[in-house]
Amino acid sequence: MAYGSMTMEERLKEHIKEYSLENLLDLSLVRACFEDISKVLGIELLLTQRHGETAVEVGNFAGFEPDVVNDPGRKLRVFNRTIGHLYVKMDQASDQELAERIVEHMMLQYEALACDHYRYRETAIYADELEAVSYTHLRAHETRHDL
């Protein structure tokens, strides 16, 4: 998209549709975190992409089909767009209230991290486009002046 065709805020709201979880989070670190939380709290976690494809699974979700429309689990959102869904089984949790709080805090942290990473990437692309436009504009003035 050409520089200037939309504001940076519009760009951020629009381009998030093109990103998946692995573009915004290190899924190997997410898996490690899920594994530790699962061991300590006795819960199972399934993180899916926005349309329900499995991204990270820790525990037994055999036979479970995510329904991101009717039962979206916990939504992972960036710029008011859902980028993923978290499903949690707490049947074996030693302390369900504590597990709920930890999962909520974890989701808030992942949202903040994904949002920061997304903003950084899009700002870098926007700056590159601005630089290209500025250089082209400068060259056009030089050429016209040389004529």
Side-chain angles (χ1 to χ4, degrees):
M1 181 154 302
Y3 164 76
S5 60
M6 64 174 59
T7 67
M8 186 62 188
E9 283 304 310
E10 291 170 333
R11 177 190 186 103
L12 289 170
K13 288 178 184 174
E14 182 64 23
H15 285 200
I16 191 61
K17 298 175 195 174
E18 300 168 17
Y19 283 75
S20 59
L21 288 170
E22 57 271 0
N23 300 130
L24 300 171
L25 298 170
D26 183 336
L27 295 183
S28 64
L29 292 176
V30 171
R31 173 175 294 287
C33 181
F34 281 14
E35 288 171 349
D36 290 345
I37 287 173
S38 178
K39 286 176 191 170
V40 171
L41 298 175
I43 63 176
E44 299 170 282
L45 302 130
L46 171 66
L47 181 63
T48 71
Q49 300 286 352
R50 69 172 49 95
H51 297 294
E53 306 86 2
T54 297
V56 177
E57 180 178 340
V58 173
N60 182 7
F61 285 87
F64 176 76
E65 290 293 325
D67 182 352
V68 298
V69 175
N70 297 312
D71 181 16
R74 291 169 172 84
K75 293 181 179 181
L76 183 60
R77 298 179 61 82
V78 172
F79 280 88
N80 294 319
R81 295 267 184 194
T82 301
I83 61 164
H85 302 268
L86 180 67
Y87 297 90
V88 182
K89 290 183 182 179
M90 295 203 186
D91 304 346
Q92 303 300 315
S94 53
D95 183 340
Q96 285 194 353
E97 187 178 310
L98 176 62
E100 285 284 349
R101 283 197 318 270
I102 289 172
V103 168
E104 181 63 27
H105 295 152
M106 178 185 67
M107 287 295 283
L108 291 172
Q109 187 63 40
Y110 284 146
E111 283 181 345
L113 183 62
C115 187
D116 287 349
H117 189 73
Y118 173 62
R119 183 182 292 276
Y120 172 79
R121 285 180 68 160
E122 283 297 314
T123 300
I125 294 167
Y126 192 73
D128 287 347
E129 290 172 357
L130 177 60
E131 186 175 297
V133 167
S134 296
Y135 179 76
T136 303
H137 185 77
L138 176 64
R139 295 298 299 162
H141 280 288
E142 288 176 353
T143 304
R144 193 175 17 212
H145 179 52
D146 291 340
L147 295 176

